[in-house]
Amino acid sequence: MSKNFICPSILPWGAPVLLVKKKDGSMRLCVDYSYHQIRVRDEYIPKTAFRTRYGHYEYTTEEEHVEHLRTMLQILKERKLYAKLSKCEFWKDDVKFLSHVVSKQGIVVDHSKVEVVMDWGQPTSVTKIRSFFGLAGYYRRFIKGFSQIALPMTKLTRKDAPFVWTSECEESFQALKQKLTTVPVLMLPKPNEPFEVYCDASLKGLGCVLMQHWNIVAYASRQLRPHEVNYPS
C-alpha cells in the first residue's frame, strides 16, 4: 500500500475510511469496498483509492506490499504490540463477496451457503416452497434451465392450486439441490469485448446462455405464461 497525494478534485475515485471499535475494544479499519483484497489490473489501481485525514492511498504492487508488511510487523514486534491472527489473511487468491467467491478464474457460489440449501427438508407448504426458491433462486444464473427444473414446484404456488407433493415435485426439488453442488465457474465479463447469446425454447419455458470467448457468463430462464404456450418457437 503506497501513499499517493492526489487532489480529490482530480481523482475521480476515493472510498471513505472509518475506524470502528469492536466489542473487545479493538479497532477495525473499514473501507466500503471488498475488491481491494485481490489483485486488480494495473489500470484499475486508482479505483482502489481511499481517503484519510493524511491523504489519498491506493493498493499497488505486491512487491511493495511485502516490504510494507515486513516493516509494519517489525514495528509491532519492537513495541511489543500484537495483531489478532484470526483477523489476518495474507496472499489470498480469492475473496468471498455477497455469498459468492470471486477469483481470477471467475465467480463461483459460496459452498458454505449452499450447504443450507442441501440440508433443506421437503417443503410442506406454499410458504416453504417460496422460501426455498428465495434461497436457491439467488444462484439461478449458475443453473441452466432453472425455471424449467423448478416448474413442478412452481405449479403448487399458483392461486387455488391444491398442495399435493408428487414424485415430479420431489425430482424437481432434488435436482435443484444437486445442480447447486455442480455449478460452473462463471467468468468475469469484459464489457468492451463481444458477447454471444444462445437461446432455446420449449413447451415449458425459455432459456438462454450469455457467453464470452466460449466461456459462460450467466444462465437465464423463465417459464412460459399460459397464453405463450400457443406461440410458435
Short mmCIF file of all heavy atoms in Angstrom, two decimals, residues 163-198:
data_model
loop_
_atom_site.label_atom_id
_atom_site.label_comp_id
_atom_site.label_asym_id
_atom_site.label_seq_id
_atom_site.Cartn_x
_atom_site.Cartn_y
_atom_site.Cartn_z
N PHE A 163 -52.25 -28.31 -2.74
CA PHE A 163 -50.87 -28.64 -2.41
C PHE A 163 -50.73 -30.17 -2.32
O PHE A 163 -51.08 -30.79 -1.31
CB PHE A 163 -50.46 -28.00 -1.09
CG PHE A 163 -48.98 -28.11 -0.83
CD1 PHE A 163 -48.12 -27.10 -1.24
CD2 PHE A 163 -48.45 -29.22 -0.20
CE1 PHE A 163 -46.75 -27.21 -1.01
CE2 PHE A 163 -47.08 -29.34 0.02
CZ PHE A 163 -46.23 -28.33 -0.38
N VAL A 164 -50.25 -30.75 -3.40
CA VAL A 164 -50.03 -32.20 -3.47
C VAL A 164 -48.58 -32.41 -3.92
O VAL A 164 -48.22 -32.11 -5.06
CB VAL A 164 -51.00 -32.89 -4.46
CG1 VAL A 164 -50.71 -34.39 -4.50
CG2 VAL A 164 -52.44 -32.61 -4.07
N TRP A 165 -47.77 -32.93 -3.02
CA TRP A 165 -46.36 -33.14 -3.32
C TRP A 165 -46.20 -34.45 -4.09
O TRP A 165 -46.25 -35.54 -3.53
CB TRP A 165 -45.54 -33.18 -2.03
CG TRP A 165 -44.06 -33.16 -2.25
CD1 TRP A 165 -43.21 -34.22 -2.25
CD2 TRP A 165 -43.24 -32.01 -2.52
NE1 TRP A 165 -41.92 -33.82 -2.51
CE2 TRP A 165 -41.90 -32.47 -2.67
CE3 TRP A 165 -43.51 -30.66 -2.64
CZ2 TRP A 165 -40.84 -31.60 -2.93
CZ3 TRP A 165 -42.46 -29.79 -2.90
CH2 TRP A 165 -41.15 -30.26 -3.04
N THR A 166 -45.99 -34.34 -5.39
CA THR A 166 -45.89 -35.51 -6.26
C THR A 166 -44.44 -35.94 -6.44
O THR A 166 -43.51 -35.28 -5.98
CB THR A 166 -46.49 -35.18 -7.63
OG1 THR A 166 -45.70 -34.14 -8.24
CG2 THR A 166 -47.94 -34.71 -7.51
N SER A 167 -44.28 -37.06 -7.13
CA SER A 167 -42.92 -37.54 -7.43
C SER A 167 -42.19 -36.54 -8.32
O SER A 167 -40.97 -36.38 -8.22
CB SER A 167 -42.98 -38.91 -8.10
OG SER A 167 -43.74 -38.85 -9.31
N GLU A 168 -42.94 -35.86 -9.21
CA GLU A 168 -42.32 -34.84 -10.06
C GLU A 168 -41.80 -33.67 -9.21
O GLU A 168 -40.72 -33.13 -9.49
CB GLU A 168 -43.32 -34.32 -11.09
CG GLU A 168 -43.66 -35.29 -12.21
CD GLU A 168 -44.68 -36.34 -11.77
OE1 GLU A 168 -45.24 -36.18 -10.66
OE2 GLU A 168 -44.90 -37.31 -12.52
N CYS A 169 -42.54 -33.30 -8.18
CA CYS A 169 -42.09 -32.23 -7.28
C CYS A 169 -40.81 -32.64 -6.55
O CYS A 169 -39.88 -31.85 -6.41
CB CYS A 169 -43.17 -31.88 -6.27
SG CYS A 169 -44.65 -31.14 -6.98
N GLU A 170 -40.78 -33.89 -6.10
CA GLU A 170 -39.60 -34.38 -5.39
C GLU A 170 -38.38 -34.40 -6.31
O GLU A 170 -37.26 -34.03 -5.92
CB GLU A 170 -39.87 -35.77 -4.82
CG GLU A 170 -38.71 -36.36 -4.03
CD GLU A 170 -38.40 -35.58 -2.77
OE1 GLU A 170 -39.28 -34.84 -2.27
OE2 GLU A 170 -37.26 -35.69 -2.27
N GLU A 171 -38.59 -34.84 -7.55
CA GLU A 171 -37.49 -34.86 -8.51
C GLU A 171 -36.99 -33.44 -8.79
O GLU A 171 -35.78 -33.20 -8.88
CB GLU A 171 -37.95 -35.51 -9.82
CG GLU A 171 -38.19 -37.01 -9.70
CD GLU A 171 -38.76 -37.59 -10.98
OE1 GLU A 171 -38.87 -36.84 -11.98
OE2 GLU A 171 -39.09 -38.80 -10.99
N SER A 172 -37.92 -32.51 -8.92
CA SER A 172 -37.57 -31.11 -9.13
C SER A 172 -36.76 -30.56 -7.95
O SER A 172 -35.73 -29.91 -8.12
CB SER A 172 -38.84 -30.27 -9.33
OG SER A 172 -38.56 -28.89 -9.29
N PHE A 173 -37.22 -30.85 -6.75
CA PHE A 173 -36.58 -30.40 -5.52
C PHE A 173 -35.16 -30.94 -5.42
O PHE A 173 -34.20 -30.18 -5.17
CB PHE A 173 -37.43 -30.86 -4.33
CG PHE A 173 -36.91 -30.45 -2.99
CD1 PHE A 173 -36.70 -29.12 -2.67
CD2 PHE A 173 -36.64 -31.42 -2.03
CE1 PHE A 173 -36.22 -28.76 -1.41
CE2 PHE A 173 -36.18 -31.07 -0.78
CZ PHE A 173 -35.96 -29.74 -0.47
N GLN A 174 -34.99 -32.22 -5.63
CA GLN A 174 -33.66 -32.83 -5.52
C GLN A 174 -32.74 -32.40 -6.66
O GLN A 174 -31.53 -32.26 -6.47
CB GLN A 174 -33.79 -34.36 -5.50
CG GLN A 174 -34.55 -34.91 -4.30
CD GLN A 174 -33.89 -34.56 -2.98
OE1 GLN A 174 -32.67 -34.36 -2.90
NE2 GLN A 174 -34.70 -34.50 -1.92
N ALA A 175 -33.31 -32.18 -7.85
CA ALA A 175 -32.50 -31.76 -9.00
C ALA A 175 -31.88 -30.39 -8.76
O ALA A 175 -30.70 -30.16 -9.06
CB ALA A 175 -33.33 -31.74 -10.27
N LEU A 176 -32.66 -29.45 -8.22
CA LEU A 176 -32.13 -28.12 -7.93
C LEU A 176 -31.03 -28.18 -6.88
O LEU A 176 -30.00 -27.50 -7.00
CB LEU A 176 -33.25 -27.19 -7.47
CG LEU A 176 -34.20 -26.69 -8.55
CD1 LEU A 176 -35.27 -25.79 -7.94
CD2 LEU A 176 -33.44 -25.92 -9.64
N LYS A 177 -31.22 -29.00 -5.87
CA LYS A 177 -30.19 -29.14 -4.84
C LYS A 177 -28.92 -29.74 -5.42
O LYS A 177 -27.81 -29.30 -5.12
CB LYS A 177 -30.73 -30.00 -3.68
CG LYS A 177 -31.86 -29.33 -2.90
CD LYS A 177 -32.55 -30.29 -1.95
CE LYS A 177 -31.67 -30.70 -0.81
NZ LYS A 177 -32.43 -31.47 0.21
N GLN A 178 -29.09 -30.75 -6.29
CA GLN A 178 -27.92 -31.38 -6.90
C GLN A 178 -27.19 -30.43 -7.84
O GLN A 178 -25.96 -30.40 -7.88
CB GLN A 178 -28.36 -32.64 -7.65
CG GLN A 178 -27.23 -33.51 -8.15
CD GLN A 178 -26.68 -33.09 -9.50
OE1 GLN A 178 -27.41 -32.48 -10.29
NE2 GLN A 178 -25.42 -33.40 -9.76
N LYS A 179 -27.96 -29.61 -8.58
CA LYS A 179 -27.35 -28.66 -9.50
C LYS A 179 -26.46 -27.66 -8.78
O LYS A 179 -25.42 -27.23 -9.30
CB LYS A 179 -28.43 -27.91 -10.28
CG LYS A 179 -29.20 -28.74 -11.30
CD LYS A 179 -28.37 -29.02 -12.53
CE LYS A 179 -29.19 -29.73 -13.59
NZ LYS A 179 -28.38 -30.04 -14.81
N LEU A 180 -26.86 -27.27 -7.58
CA LEU A 180 -26.09 -26.27 -6.84
C LEU A 180 -24.73 -26.80 -6.39
O LEU A 180 -23.83 -26.02 -6.07
CB LEU A 180 -26.88 -25.80 -5.62
CG LEU A 180 -27.98 -24.78 -5.90
CD1 LEU A 180 -28.80 -24.52 -4.65
CD2 LEU A 180 -27.38 -23.48 -6.40
N THR A 181 -24.57 -28.12 -6.34
CA THR A 181 -23.28 -28.69 -5.95
C THR A 181 -22.33 -28.86 -7.12
O THR A 181 -21.16 -29.17 -6.93
CB THR A 181 -23.47 -30.06 -5.26
OG1 THR A 181 -24.01 -30.98 -6.21
CG2 THR A 181 -24.41 -29.93 -4.08
N THR A 182 -22.85 -28.68 -8.34
CA THR A 182 -22.00 -28.87 -9.53
C THR A 182 -22.06 -27.67 -10.46
O THR A 182 -21.95 -27.81 -11.67
CB THR A 182 -22.47 -30.13 -10.29
OG1 THR A 182 -23.87 -29.99 -10.63
CG2 THR A 182 -22.29 -31.38 -9.47
N VAL A 183 -22.26 -26.49 -9.88
CA VAL A 183 -22.39 -25.29 -10.72
C VAL A 183 -21.05 -24.94 -11.36
O VAL A 183 -19.99 -25.22 -10.81
CB VAL A 183 -22.90 -24.08 -9.90
CG1 VAL A 183 -24.31 -24.30 -9.44
CG2 VAL A 183 -21.98 -23.82 -8.70
N PRO A 184 -21.08 -24.33 -12.54
CA PRO A 184 -19.84 -23.97 -13.23
C PRO A 184 -19.21 -22.72 -12.64
O PRO A 184 -19.82 -22.00 -11.84
CB PRO A 184 -20.31 -23.71 -14.66
CG PRO A 184 -21.70 -23.18 -14.47
CD PRO A 184 -22.27 -23.97 -13.32
N VAL A 185 -17.98 -22.47 -13.04
CA VAL A 185 -17.32 -21.20 -12.71
C VAL A 185 -17.72 -20.20 -13.79
O VAL A 185 -17.48 -20.40 -14.97
CB VAL A 185 -15.78 -21.36 -12.69
CG1 VAL A 185 -15.12 -20.02 -12.42
CG2 VAL A 185 -15.36 -22.38 -11.65
N LEU A 186 -18.37 -19.12 -13.38
CA LEU A 186 -18.78 -18.09 -14.33
C LEU A 186 -17.65 -17.09 -14.50
O LEU A 186 -17.08 -16.61 -13.52
CB LEU A 186 -20.04 -17.37 -13.83
CG LEU A 186 -21.27 -18.24 -13.59
CD1 LEU A 186 -22.44 -17.37 -13.16
CD2 LEU A 186 -21.63 -19.05 -14.82
N MET A 187 -17.33 -16.78 -15.74
CA MET A 187 -16.24 -15.86 -15.99
C MET A 187 -16.65 -14.42 -15.67
O MET A 187 -17.84 -14.08 -15.70
CB MET A 187 -15.76 -15.94 -17.44
CG MET A 187 -16.72 -15.37 -18.47
SD MET A 187 -15.95 -15.12 -20.09
CE MET A 187 -14.77 -13.81 -19.75
N LEU A 188 -15.66 -13.62 -15.36
CA LEU A 188 -15.90 -12.19 -15.17
C LEU A 188 -15.92 -11.54 -16.54
O LEU A 188 -14.91 -11.57 -17.26
CB LEU A 188 -14.78 -11.58 -14.30
CG LEU A 188 -14.75 -12.07 -12.86
CD1 LEU A 188 -13.46 -11.62 -12.18
CD2 LEU A 188 -15.94 -11.55 -12.09
N PRO A 189 -17.04 -10.98 -16.98
CA PRO A 189 -17.14 -10.45 -18.34
C PRO A 189 -16.29 -9.22 -18.56
O PRO A 189 -16.02 -8.44 -17.63
CB PRO A 189 -18.63 -10.11 -18.47
CG PRO A 189 -19.07 -9.83 -17.07
CD PRO A 189 -18.28 -10.78 -16.20
N LYS A 190 -15.85 -9.07 -19.80
CA LYS A 190 -15.11 -7.87 -20.22
C LYS A 190 -16.06 -7.02 -21.04
O LYS A 190 -16.38 -7.37 -22.18
CB LYS A 190 -13.89 -8.28 -21.03
CG LYS A 190 -12.93 -9.18 -20.24
CD LYS A 190 -11.77 -9.66 -21.10
CE LYS A 190 -10.87 -10.57 -20.29
NZ LYS A 190 -9.74 -11.11 -21.11
N PRO A 191 -16.54 -5.90 -20.50
CA PRO A 191 -17.62 -5.15 -21.14
C PRO A 191 -17.28 -4.59 -22.51
O PRO A 191 -18.18 -4.33 -23.30
CB PRO A 191 -17.90 -4.02 -20.14
CG PRO A 191 -16.66 -3.91 -19.31
CD PRO A 191 -16.10 -5.29 -19.22
N ASN A 192 -16.01 -4.42 -22.82
CA ASN A 192 -15.63 -3.83 -24.11
C ASN A 192 -15.37 -4.88 -25.18
O ASN A 192 -14.95 -4.54 -26.29
CB ASN A 192 -14.39 -2.95 -23.93
CG ASN A 192 -14.66 -1.75 -23.03
OD1 ASN A 192 -15.75 -1.18 -23.05
ND2 ASN A 192 -13.67 -1.36 -22.24
N GLU A 193 -15.62 -6.15 -24.88
CA GLU A 193 -15.39 -7.21 -25.84
C GLU A 193 -16.73 -7.87 -26.19
O GLU A 193 -17.69 -7.78 -25.42
CB GLU A 193 -14.40 -8.23 -25.28
CG GLU A 193 -13.02 -7.62 -25.02
CD GLU A 193 -12.00 -8.66 -24.61
OE1 GLU A 193 -12.26 -9.87 -24.78
OE2 GLU A 193 -10.92 -8.25 -24.12
N PRO A 194 -16.83 -8.52 -27.35
CA PRO A 194 -18.12 -9.04 -27.82
C PRO A 194 -18.66 -10.17 -26.94
O PRO A 194 -17.90 -10.94 -26.35
CB PRO A 194 -17.81 -9.54 -29.23
CG PRO A 194 -16.33 -9.78 -29.23
CD PRO A 194 -15.75 -8.75 -28.33
N PHE A 195 -19.99 -10.26 -26.90
CA PHE A 195 -20.70 -11.31 -26.19
C PHE A 195 -21.43 -12.19 -27.19
O PHE A 195 -21.72 -11.76 -28.31
CB PHE A 195 -21.72 -10.72 -25.21
CG PHE A 195 -21.12 -10.04 -24.02
CD1 PHE A 195 -20.77 -8.70 -24.07
CD2 PHE A 195 -20.93 -10.74 -22.83
CE1 PHE A 195 -20.23 -8.07 -22.97
CE2 PHE A 195 -20.39 -10.10 -21.71
CZ PHE A 195 -20.05 -8.76 -21.79
N GLU A 196 -21.73 -13.43 -26.80
CA GLU A 196 -22.60 -14.30 -27.59
C GLU A 196 -23.78 -14.71 -26.71
O GLU A 196 -23.62 -14.98 -25.52
CB GLU A 196 -21.85 -15.55 -28.05
CG GLU A 196 -20.63 -15.29 -28.92
CD GLU A 196 -19.36 -15.10 -28.11
OE1 GLU A 196 -19.20 -15.76 -27.06
OE2 GLU A 196 -18.52 -14.28 -28.52
N VAL A 197 -24.96 -14.76 -27.30
CA VAL A 197 -26.17 -15.19 -26.58
C VAL A 197 -26.77 -16.38 -27.32
O VAL A 197 -27.05 -16.29 -28.52
CB VAL A 197 -27.20 -14.05 -26.48
CG1 VAL A 197 -28.46 -14.56 -25.76
CG2 VAL A 197 -26.62 -12.86 -25.73
N TYR A 198 -26.96 -17.48 -26.62
CA TYR A 198 -27.56 -18.67 -27.20
C TYR A 198 -28.93 -18.89 -26.55
O TYR A 198 -29.02 -18.97 -25.32
CB TYR A 198 -26.65 -19.89 -26.99
CG TYR A 198 -25.34 -19.77 -27.73
CD1 TYR A 198 -24.24 -19.17 -27.13
CD2 TYR A 198 -25.21 -20.23 -29.04
CE1 TYR A 198 -23.04 -19.03 -27.81
CE2 TYR A 198 -24.02 -20.10 -29.74
CZ TYR A 198 -22.93 -19.50 -29.11
OH TYR A 198 -21.74 -19.37 -29.79
#
